[in-house]
Each structure stands twice: as C-alpha cells, then as structure tokens.
Amino acid sequence: MKSILNFYINSSIHVALTVVSLAIITMQNFEISIDINVILFIFLGTITGYNIVKYAGIAGLHHLSLTKNLRLIQVFSFLIFLILLYILFQLTWNVVIFSAVMGLCTLLYILPFFGGGRNLRALAGVKIYVIAFVWSGVTVLLPLIGKTELLQWDVLLEFIQRFLFVLVLTLPFEIRDLKFDMANLKTVAQIFGVTKTKILGILCLFAVILLEFLKMNSNFESVISLICICVLLSILLINSRIRQTKYYSSFWVEGIPVLWCCLLLVMQFIYR
C-alpha cells in the first residue's frame, strides 16, 4: 500500500486530481456543464507537465541507471502523453492556444531561457508566483473558454481568489523546503520566516473569503464550502513545520482542493 501511495504521489496523479478539482469548482461556480474533454485534458496535461519538470533533469543525468520506480513513472508519463495528444484534437483552437501558452510557462520553469543559463525556478522570488499564475489560468480561465465571457467582474475575482489560494497552498511546501532551498531563491518562507509566512497566508485566505462577497453571482454553497476549506487550510498552514511528516504537504495539504470539490458537489446536491 505504501508503494502504491508513493507512486500515486510521485507520478503526479495526486496533484493532477487537485488541479482538476479546482477546475470543476470553477465550472460549478459559474454554473456551466462539466466538459469531460477539458477535464481529461487538464488531468493528463498536469501529469505530463509536472513529470517533465520533476524528472527531465534526473532522466538526463542518470538515464542508464534509473531506478525501477523512476522507469515506471517514465513509461506511465509517456502513455499519459499519448492519450493527451488524442484528447488535444477534441478541443477547440482557443483552448489549444491558451493551453500552449500555459505549457510554455511550464517549460520556462526548467529551460535555461534567462541570463546566466537560469530558468524561472532559479529566478529569485519568482517560483511561487509562477505556480500560482499557471494554476489560476488552467483552473479558472481554461474551463471557461467558449463557455462564458472571460472579461467580466466575477471571472476576475475568481482568478484573484484562485491565485491567492494557490499561493497559500504552496506555503507549507516552502516551509518544509527551507532546509533544502538555496538562499538565492528568496522564497516567501526565506524572506519572511516561518511565523510571518503563516500570518501572511492567513491574511491571504481572509482576502479570498472577502472577495467572494464582492461577486455579482455567488451562492450559499460556494460561500460556505469556501469558508470551510479556508479554515481547514489555515489550520494546516499554522501546523506546518520545517520538519514535517513525509505526506503532510505532498498528500494532505495538496489534497485540500479535492476535499473542497467534494464538499461543494455534496452541498449542491443537498440544497438544489
């Protein structure tokens, strides 16, 4: 069971479910039907993108001596990519073009495109904001393309909310990685320290809740589920430590959007 759980996390299936859950939340908030092709595309694209970012360098350096698990992840990722190509032809050109832009941002995360052979990951203070921007684009704008007008007040608020939420979702990882990250990365946790990082995260979640009340078309289920999830994320953030258990951030924290999606769907089923 432990080996299965490790493969589930290391192969990026868990993070893909997280991203898909956030996309479904957007669809539910804007009351549009769930597009299976878009959901599959986001799921498969997340696995492909994350595994490229995580393992491209390792595979290049240790191609002949890859461990069994890493080889399995490589084969799994290749099969996922083939299915992704098939789903790609089921989508509209607007979705494909937007996805290409988000994919480029992901590639810049690992390619030495900037001065000194650096990538986005190596640029001081940029990492967390790139992640939040790409996640927000994929989980807010991508599901709405062709379904509703993107240039509207509620979409802007949803994007800002998602950006702030993903920022906070990333903070426990930054706290955990304090003992690994180089000083020149200037992560939020490195700049502000653990305590101030937690305070900043809680303030961001408070802003996420306030923004919900500024929307033109919010509803009871969205508000209550959002508040519950923000409270839960606050508790997990407060309890984050530099020395965490193995699955604290990578499973429990990262799985919060999945719980959020389930809670929202259950509430909508009960109250509608």
Side-chain angles (χ1 to χ4, degrees):
M1 291 300 295
K2 187 175 181 180
S3 297
I4 294 173
L5 178 60
N6 287 334
F7 179 81
Y8 170 74
I9 294 173
N10 294 333
S11 63
S12 302
I13 297 175
H14 190 55
V15 68
L17 286 177
T18 294
V19 176
V20 162
S21 295
L22 291 173
I24 292 175
I25 289 168
T26 297
M27 294 176 178
Q28 294 301 302
N29 285 345
F30 286 86
E31 298 182 347
I32 62 175
S33 59
I34 295 177
D35 189 325
I36 298 300
N37 285 328
V38 171
I39 291 300
L40 281 174
F41 179 72
I42 292 174
F43 178 76
L44 300 171
T46 301
I47 293 177
T48 302
Y50 261 79
N51 286 350
I52 288 175
V53 169
K54 287 194 295 185
Y55 302 118
I58 297 175
L61 292 172
H62 309 285
H63 182 69
L64 297 178
S65 59
L66 290 175
T67 64
K68 180 180 178 180
N69 288 339
L70 189 52
R71 284 190 180 278
L72 183 60
I73 290 174
Q74 274 193 318
V75 173
F76 172 75
S77 300
F78 179 70
L79 294 176
I80 289 293
F81 177 68
L82 292 180
I83 302 173
L84 176 66
L85 291 179
Y86 171 77
I87 297 295
L88 186 66
F89 289 99
Q90 315 303 315
L91 305 173
T92 64
W93 275 110
N94 288 336
V95 171
V96 172
I97 293 171
F98 182 83
S99 301
V101 174
M102 293 294 100
L104 178 61
C105 292
T106 303
L107 288 177
L108 291 179
Y109 200 71
I110 58 173
L111 295 178
F113 185 80
F114 301 93
R118 295 180 300 170
N119 50 38
L120 277 176
R121 177 191 282 176
L123 295 181
V126 171
K127 174 182 174 182
I128 190 173
Y129 305 106
V130 173
I131 294 172
F133 176 78
V134 173
W135 276 47
S136 300
V138 170
T139 66
V140 175
L141 301 182
L142 182 59
L144 299 180
I145 293 176
K147 305 294 195 309
T148 187
E149 177 61 50
L150 296 183
L151 298 177
Q152 59 170 295
W153 178 247
D154 281 7
V155 173
L156 174 62
L157 291 181
E158 186 87 3
F159 186 89
I160 297 173
Q161 282 180 302
R162 195 62 47 78
F163 185 88
L164 293 175
F165 184 84
V166 175
L167 278 181
V168 180
L169 200 67
T170 310
L171 293 180
F173 290 87
E174 292 210 343
I175 292 173
R176 179 198 65 185
D177 293 341
L178 273 173
K179 58 182 179 291
F180 303 116
D181 287 337
M182 294 180 292
N184 64 335
L185 287 179
K186 297 190 182 300
T187 64
V188 173
Q190 287 176 332
I191 295 172
F192 295 103
V194 174
T195 301
K196 290 182 179 178
T197 295
K198 293 178 180 180
I199 294 173
L200 179 63
I202 292 171
L203 291 175
C204 285
L205 290 177
F206 185 67
V208 169
I209 294 173
L210 287 181
L211 289 173
E212 187 68 24
F213 292 97
L214 297 179
K215 289 182 178 178
M216 302 294 292
N217 297 296
S218 188
N219 56 63
F220 173 78
E221 299 87 19
S222 296
V223 172
I224 298 302
S225 62
L226 176 64
I227 292 174
C228 291
I229 290 302
C230 284
V231 170
L232 177 59
L233 181 52
S234 296
I235 293 172
L236 290 177
L237 176 60
I238 290 171
N239 286 284
S240 298
R241 302 287 185 270
I242 296 177
R243 296 184 180 276
Q244 299 177 12
T245 58
K246 182 177 181 180
Y247 302 112
Y248 186 84
S249 291
S250 61
F251 183 78
W252 298 111
V253 173
E254 199 154 60
I256 286 180
V258 180
L259 179 61
W260 181 8
C261 181
C262 292
L263 178 61
L264 178 60
L265 293 174
V266 169
M267 290 187 65
Q268 288 180 342
F269 176 78
I270 293 174
Y271 292 103
R272 293 185 183 183

